């Protein structure tokens, strides 16, 4: 028998439970166990006035932002619409069926005010990290570090030449933040080279062509992860340049040591972190450098390179392929970072290998970095079995960057300025750690 269309009749009473309508295997139900915002109101109390109309609950806004970054919802306007309609989102935000959703402009007002003044997003990230530590997901022995370029919210076609500087009529919050970080070694002071183009919309974003295609304005998100379960231990926003990324690595390691007492036994990284200064810094802090050495000593003209000269550590001399000594007077060059070892002109003049060693100079000189011992250690580790294992484990951080861009949709920033980049990177790293917690720790029966 054909059924009849049911006429919509408004019921007088409803019996409805959000708890029963959220599946047991829903992502937000798994994540909700690890969202600890009990101290949020106490930490923000000083940033609210004791008088006036009650504000939007800050815990509600943080929960909504977690939903947005875990689900790849990039627009806050769309996030408010989704929370209004989605039952699982309402359950996670503790709104019930009739709870009001704040306007999207509330996020902008709080972000530029209370959230940044209290460094709230950093606190939320560290709260999730502490939960990872309590659950035993962080080994604390091997760390990996790397950086990835994230396109800035700046039109590449509207950039101005870097030599000319910003137009005098340009103003805005992003410009103020750019002027505030001109002396910061992670941004304006990272290099003395003037960029080819500057974006008037976001001057702190760096013009880069590192991907090999069209150049664009970008920031770098720097991750320090524990390789045991690929938990993000720290995150830092910098300008898109190698010197700033090395500085960010040092800052993140120091912060993990100071705040969480995490002292890694080894650090894994690519050649961007293989400079003599960085390797020497790791040696000073007792960290094994499982890092590819950044070395430009190889020669392209067929003459002997530095590796063809044997170093005698006991007598502090080099021996050339003919067995002659190269000595040093102890004078440092290259801003005190390099020591020169020179051969005797008499030895070089009568040497049969002069055409392959120093055909254009009277005698051969060999530079040696003051951190060459650390470089030698990194080379030995790279050739060992542990070095091969570290190169494989280092790929975990690349997988996190792929997840960040493809799943969480953070391939382009929505906020401008260094503070905007930092906020987005912190929220994205928090979302990735929460998803990792939900994956590794099963729901209780």
């Amino acid at each position: 028998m054909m059924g009849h269309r049911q006429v919509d009749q408004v019921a007088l009473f409803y019996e409805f439970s959000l708890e029963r309508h959220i599946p047991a295997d829903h992502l937000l139900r798994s994540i909700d166990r690890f969202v600890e915002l009990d101290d949020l109101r106490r930490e923000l109390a000083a940033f609210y006035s004791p008088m006036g109309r009650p504000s939007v609950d800050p815990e509600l806004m943080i929960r909504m932002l977690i939903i947005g970054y875990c689900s790849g919802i990039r627009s806050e306007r769309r996030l408010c619409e989704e929370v209004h309609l989605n039952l699982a989102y309402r359950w996670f935000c503790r709104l019930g069926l009739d709870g009001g959703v704040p306007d999207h402009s509330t996020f902008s007002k709080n972000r530029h005010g209370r959230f940044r003044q209290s460094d709230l997003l950093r606190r939320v990230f560290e709260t999730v990290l502490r939960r990872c530590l309590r659950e035993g997901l962080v080994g604390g022995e091997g760390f990996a570090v790397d950086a990835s370029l994230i396109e800035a919210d700046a039109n590449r076609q509207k950039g101005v030449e870097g030599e000319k500087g910003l137009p005098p009529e340009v103003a805005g919050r992003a410009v103020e933040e750019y002027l505030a970080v001109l002396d910061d070694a992670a941004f304006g002071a990272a290099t003395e080279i003037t960029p080819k183009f500057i974006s008037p919309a976001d001057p702190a974003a760096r013009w880069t062509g590192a991907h090999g295609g069209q150049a664009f304005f970008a920031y770098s998100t720097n991750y320090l992860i524990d390789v045991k379960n690929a938990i993000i231990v720290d995150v830092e926003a910098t300008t898109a340049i190698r010197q700033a990324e090395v500085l960010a690595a040092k800052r993140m390691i120091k912060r993990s040591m100071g705040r969480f007492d995490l002292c890694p036994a080894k650090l894994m990284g690519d050649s961007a972190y293989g400079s003599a200064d960085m390797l020497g810094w790791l040696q000073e802090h007792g960290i094994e450098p499982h890092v590819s050495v950044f070395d430009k000593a190889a020669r392209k003209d067929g003459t002997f390179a530095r590796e063809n000269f044997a170093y005698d550590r006991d007598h502090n001399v080099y021996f050339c392929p003919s067995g002659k000594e190269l000595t040093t007077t102890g004078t440092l060059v290259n801003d005190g970072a390099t020591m020169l070892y020179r051969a005797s002109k008499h030895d070089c003049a009568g040497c049969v290998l002069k055409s392959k060693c120093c055909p254009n100079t009277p005698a051969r000189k060999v530079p040696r970095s003051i951190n060459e011992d650390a470089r030698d250690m990194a080379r030995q580790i790279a050739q060992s079995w542990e070095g091969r294992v570290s190169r494989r484990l280092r790929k975990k951080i690349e997988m996190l960057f792929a997840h960040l861009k493809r799943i969480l949709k953070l391939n382009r920033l929505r906020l401008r300025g260094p503070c905007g980049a930092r906020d987005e990177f912190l929220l994205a790293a928090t979302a990735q750690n929460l998803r990792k917690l939900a994956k590794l720790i099963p729901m209780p029966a």
Side-chain angles (χ1 to χ4, degrees), residues 293-320:
V293 178
F294 183 75
D295 196 352
K296 291 186 176 181
R299 295 195 170 192
K300 299 180 180 180
D301 57 358
T303 58
F304 293 140
R306 183 173 54 199
E307 61 184 13
N308 299 115
F309 293 76
Y311 180 67
D312 187 344
R313 192 180 307 276
D314 295 333
H315 299 89
N316 192 25
V317 295
Y318 273 96
F319 288 98
C320 72

Side-chain angles (χ1 to χ4, degrees), residues 13 20 89 91-92 98 103 120 138 160 170 184 198 206 231 241 257 261 267 275 277 290 314 329 414 430:
F13 299 102
R20 294 201 309 264
Y89 295 172
W91 173 85
F92 184 79
D98 55 354
D103 188 77
L120 178 64
V138 179
V160 298
V170 173
D184 188 347
I198 299 177
R206 188 81 181 184
I231 297 296
I241 194 169
M257 289 179 176
D261 197 25
L267 180 73
S275 63
D277 177 70
H290 290 236
D314 295 333
T329 60
R414 186 178 54 82
T430 302

Side-chain angles (χ1 to χ4, degrees), residues 5 26 120 165 203 218 229 241 254 290 300 342 371 379 409 434:
R5 181 176 64 88
H26 197 280
L120 178 64
N229 289 300
I241 194 169
K254 286 182 178 179
H290 290 236
K300 299 180 180 180
R342 294 180 172 86
N371 296 310
R379 293 188 185 99
K409 311 298 183 184
L434 284 171

Side-chain angles (χ1 to χ4, degrees), residues 220-241:
S220 284
T221 177
N222 300 266
Y223 276 7
L224 180 69
I225 73 165
D226 181 87
V227 295
K228 179 182 178 181
N229 289 300
I231 297 296
I232 303 172
V233 177
D234 207 342
V235 57
E236 186 82 7
T238 64
T239 187
I241 194 169

